[in-house]
Amino acid sequence: MNVLAHGIGAQHDLPLSPFYAFAGAFAALFVSFLALGLLWSASRFRGDRAGRPVPSALQRLADARPTRIALRALGLAVALYVTLQLLLGPDDPDRNPAPGVVYVLLWVGLVPASLLFGPVWRLLNPLRSVHLLVCRALGRDPATGRPLPVGLGLWPAAAGLLAFTWLELVAPDPASADALLVFLGGYAGVHLAGAARYGAGWFDRGDAFEVYSGLLARLSPLGRRPADRRLVFRSPFNGLDATPQTPGLVATVCVMLGSTAYDGFSDAPSWITTVQTSSLGRTTTATLGLLGAVALVAALYTLCAGAVRLISGRLPHPLTAFAHSLVPIALGYLIAHYFTLFVTEGPRTVMVALGTDNPAPPDPPLGPGGVATLQVAAIVLGHVLGVIAAHDRSVRLFPSGRAVAGQLPLLVLMITYTIGGLSLLIA
């Protein structure tokens, strides 16, 4: 079974009425918008200042040197294992665990791991560990390097995410050892060079998987307060509210949204026919489709930000001011599209890694109806959470008389994204 065969069947196989799905989604968005406008007149989220400290024993365990060394060693061991499997393992991706480790356990597995434990990839990242070991061997401080350019922001991470999703969704043979070796080798080279020039801080901004994990971790109940580095239990909304308004944030989230949307659309029979018959060739056509999906998501958000600025008056940074509200939407899309892949191909990848020869994946824990309900619920809930995050930000930034009106473009955007997301599932 191909590890890239996302989901359990075609969109029309999911036994869910489009009418009830769309009606329920619209009702949830409108009711939440009206309720917030009537009952939520002052900002309630406090970002990094919020949180209740975890028990001291848990804090000591999380900060203990052996814990961090063990996590770094685990990341290095898995990276070495994947590399050896790609170099020496079977050519058949059904018998080689490396593609499943990369596309399922890493890419999809980072979603639940980051939601539960925070930005875990920062501690597991083998590239950060390699940089640390090299610096210690040379007697250098890993943080030493040139200052990062002010306007760089998360743009390298956005480019890295786009490159990885191109490999996963567009490349002619994404599960082949050669394709993965070229990508992973090039990726490692770029980021180790960036760290050598700018120090370990490069990974915070440039490493696609660290940024991806960090954005999803904004919705984790675990977080750290920057002021005292205390590990705290917090409302996910406070973590989301603390998302830095960094250049490239919008591009990164739009890549997350647009690539996931393209993944759903690429299974449509009409698109498959277009790709197969295009005079441009399969890879070029699919590349344009992926870029078009990301560009469409970004264009809609940009139009929305412009409308918000016109309605609400002067707003210094309309693009980044509400970009955090797109993170739960991206999370909803990820859950909707990759849940079945993770719970079936994840265990299968582990079985292959343990030596089982071409095992059959386990049956999904949910039937088609349950999967369809979960997918719709994930998309709708993600948009509702986005509406709440945007409302709290708007009552903080806008004059009281314009707070609700200023959100109307955002509501229209949420509805548009919801229609698109549900259409990819059940239309």
Side-chain angles (χ1 to χ4, degrees):
M1 179 178 291
N2 191 331
V3 298
L4 302 180
H6 302 163
I8 62 170
Q11 298 160 358
H12 56 268
D13 292 332
L14 299 179
L16 194 65
S17 165
F19 172 80
Y20 289 114
F22 285 112
F26 294 155
L29 289 173
F30 277 116
V31 169
S32 60
F33 177 77
L34 292 175
L36 291 170
L38 293 173
L39 304 175
W40 198 310
S41 59
S43 177
R44 303 183 184 185
F45 304 147
R46 296 183 293 120
D48 282 332
R49 295 172 295 164
R52 177 178 299 178
V54 304
S56 57
L58 181 59
Q59 178 83 41
R60 288 194 299 270
L61 177 63
D63 291 339
R65 189 167 182 266
T67 301
R68 294 177 176 272
I69 290 175
L71 291 173
R72 291 187 186 118
L74 175 62
L76 284 171
V78 173
L80 179 60
Y81 174 77
V82 169
T83 302
L84 290 176
Q85 286 293 331
L86 291 174
L87 290 172
L88 306 174
D91 293 332
D92 183 358
D94 287 335
R95 290 179 167 81
N96 191 322
V101 172
V102 174
Y103 292 120
V104 182
L105 299 185
L106 171 60
W107 176 241
V108 183
L110 270 180
V111 177
S114 301
L115 288 177
L116 291 173
F117 304 113
V120 292
W121 191 247
R122 194 178 194 279
L123 293 175
L124 293 168
N125 189 351
L127 299 181
R128 186 183 282 272
S129 298
V130 168
H131 175 253
L132 175 64
L133 292 173
V134 170
C135 286
R136 287 184 175 175
L138 297 176
R140 292 178 51 188
D141 181 355
T144 300
R146 298 186 181 185
L148 287 164
V150 176
L152 184 68
L154 302 182
W155 283 104
L161 280 177
L162 184 61
F164 178 78
T165 54
W166 181 90
L167 174 70
E168 180 195 15
L169 304 174
V170 174
D173 193 4
S176 71
D178 289 343
L180 280 168
L181 281 171
V182 169
F183 175 82
L184 294 176
Y187 188 89
V190 167
H191 290 292
L192 289 175
R197 182 177 180 85
Y198 297 109
W202 166 265
F203 296 109
D204 297 326
R205 299 283 186 92
D207 189 289
F209 297 105
E210 277 206 18
V211 172
Y212 173 71
S213 174
L215 285 175
L216 295 172
R218 291 291 170 182
L219 290 164
S220 172
L222 284 174
R224 284 190 183 270
R225 288 193 306 223
D228 56 9
R229 301 302 299 162
R230 286 301 304 270
L231 193 64
V232 296
F233 292 119
R234 66 186 181 187
S235 162
F237 285 113
N238 283 311
L240 195 61
D241 186 67
T243 305
Q245 297 183 35
T246 308
L249 172 62
V250 174
T252 303
V253 180
C254 286
V255 170
M256 292 169 62
L257 275 169
S259 61
T260 309
Y262 176 77
D263 186 16
F265 178 71
S266 63
D267 288 333
S270 59
W271 179 250
I272 293 174
T273 300
T274 299
V275 169
Q276 292 175 343
T277 60
S278 173
S279 60
L280 297 175
R282 177 205 170 276
T283 302
T284 300
T285 304
T287 299
L288 293 175
L290 174 62
L291 295 176
V294 174
L296 178 61
V297 170
L300 291 174
Y301 179 72
T302 301
L303 289 173
C304 170
V308 168
R309 187 169 188 174
L310 287 175
I311 294 174
S312 61
R314 186 176 180 180
L315 186 64
H317 304 288
L319 278 176
T320 55
F322 293 95
H324 69 298
S325 67
L326 298 183
V327 175
I329 299 174
L331 173 61
Y333 276 49
L334 289 167
I335 293 173
H337 284 275
Y338 296 125
F339 167 78
T340 305
L341 175 73
F342 184 66
V343 298
T344 56
E345 291 295 337
R348 182 185 181 280
T349 297
V350 173
M351 288 188 285
V352 174
L354 294 176
T356 305
D357 183 46
N358 195 20
D363 293 330
L366 300 176
V371 170
T373 302
L374 174 66
Q375 290 176 321
V376 172
I379 288 178
V380 174
L381 181 59
H383 285 82
V384 171
L385 296 180
V387 168
I388 295 173
H391 176 83
D392 188 84
R393 182 64 57 85
S394 68
V395 297
R396 181 188 308 167
L397 296 179
F398 301 155
S400 58
R402 296 184 179 180
V404 175
Q407 294 175 69
L408 289 174
L410 290 165
L411 177 63
V412 173
L413 179 70
M414 301 294 183
I415 292 174
T416 303
Y417 283 167
T418 303
I419 292 173
L422 293 180
S423 297
L424 291 175
L425 291 175
I426 62 179

